[in-house]
Amino acid sequence: MHIEPSGAACGARVSGIDLSVALEDADISAIRSAWLEHKVLAFADQQMDDDALERFTLAMGGFGEDPFFDPIDGHEHIAAIKREADETSTLFAENWHSDWSFLRKPPSGTCLMAVEIPPIGGDTLFSDQVAAFAALPDKRKDELRAMTAVHSASRGYAPDGLYGDNDKGRSMSIRPGEAALARQSHPLVKLHPETGEEALFCSISYTVGIEGMDDMDAFQLIIELHQWCEQDRFVYRHKWQPGMLVIWDNRSVNHKATGGYEGHRRELHRSTIAAV
Ligand SMILES: [Fe+2]
């Protein structure tokens, strides 16, 4: 197995391993350590199918919860992230987030397997939330360490949310509902359970408040952190290729989708890795 760092704050490309077959424990352990180190791994030139994606996800730690989506037929732990060539709905997941951070135990990671990749556009951006926190002044770090953030899926998946009842013409099987109104607190600076590193656990998609702070001040803080984390020095821009599997660590990176592939179909299959 060969690991080539992206040269950006996070991300690495992995070659020399075949993920279409069951892996030895030693391979999984090597992949897990590279994943914790680089936060985002891209495996190029794979021949995986949905069975292989499920097998790999199980080996990486088991299936995580995946709310608000209908799974694909025959694979209850896989969701299709897709957009038809002529689709005019808003781009899905275009705002920074960590997957399902509004759950009590958000998934450790997410696996995204290329099914159909357009010839242009559709890059996924990742921001290194550990590096972004580390670069803050010491005084600011202490202030943030004392804060507790409130997360919710309401902006996206509530009946009146972005993907709610008024979202028409979307090909993806999103299932909004009242459950999205639930709120879940997490430390604003979260200790990574496997590396011990501190990461900013906050996003404009799912962080809806700060405990003990009025809404306007909390909103300003969330915007300030959003702008800090999306600086180029913390961001890895991932370019997709057919046959690629990408896995990322939701505890140490935020991510967002980008467009730029109008007129082309795009489909990827997603699974999530359970919390440890
Ligand atoms: Fe996501």
Side-chain angles (χ1 to χ4, degrees), residues 180-228:
L181 299 172
R183 293 158 80 88
Q184 176 65 50
S185 293
H186 294 289
L188 179 61
V189 180
K190 226 175 164 190
L191 275 189
H192 192 295
E194 297 187 75
T195 67
E197 293 172 307
E198 293 174 296
L200 279 169
F201 197 66
C202 176
S203 72
I204 53 164
S205 295
Y206 297 141
T207 310
V208 295
I210 303 288
E211 284 188 6
M213 193 181 281
D214 75 48
D215 282 351
M216 190 49 77
D217 288 347
F219 180 69
Q220 281 176 0
L221 174 64
I222 293 161
I223 294 294
E224 173 201 318
L225 294 175
H226 159 77
Q227 290 174 338
W228 177 260

Side-chain angles (χ1 to χ4, degrees), residues 236-255:
Y236 162 55
R237 172 178 283 269
H238 177 72
K239 293 193 174 296
W240 286 89
Q241 291 169 348
M244 196 169 246
L245 176 81
V246 172
I247 62 173
W248 65 83
D249 187 336
N250 284 309
R251 304 159 299 183
S252 55
V253 294
N254 278 359
H255 62 281

Side-chain angles (χ1 to χ4, degrees), residues 52-94:
L53 176 59
E54 285 189 336
R55 187 165 54 235
F56 178 74
T57 311
L58 277 174
M60 286 293 288
F63 299 121
E65 209 180 316
D66 208 355
F68 307 120
F69 270 79
D70 280 340
I72 61 170
D73 286 346
H75 296 274
E76 63 171 315
H77 297 289
I78 297 180
I81 307 300
K82 62 181 176 181
R83 187 176 182 82
E84 299 301 336
D86 60 355
E87 192 162 332
T88 55
S89 61
T90 56
L91 198 66
F92 176 68
E94 201 181 10

Side-chain angles (χ1 to χ4, degrees), residues 65-137:
E65 209 180 316
D66 208 355
F68 307 120
F69 270 79
D70 280 340
I72 61 170
D73 286 346
H75 296 274
E76 63 171 315
H77 297 289
I78 297 180
I81 307 300
K82 62 181 176 181
R83 187 176 182 82
E84 299 301 336
D86 60 355
E87 192 162 332
T88 55
S89 61
T90 56
L91 198 66
F92 176 68
E94 201 181 10
N95 291 318
W96 288 104
H97 63 283
S98 173
D99 282 336
W100 309 148
S101 69
F102 49 81
L103 296 177
R104 191 174 67 82
K105 294 185 97 178
S108 298
T110 301
C111 307
L112 202 51
M113 179 179 81
V115 175
E116 188 169 352
I117 297 298
I120 48 164
D123 298 349
T124 305
L125 304 188
F126 296 92
S127 70
D128 186 329
Q129 299 293 111
V130 173
F133 180 70
L136 286 165

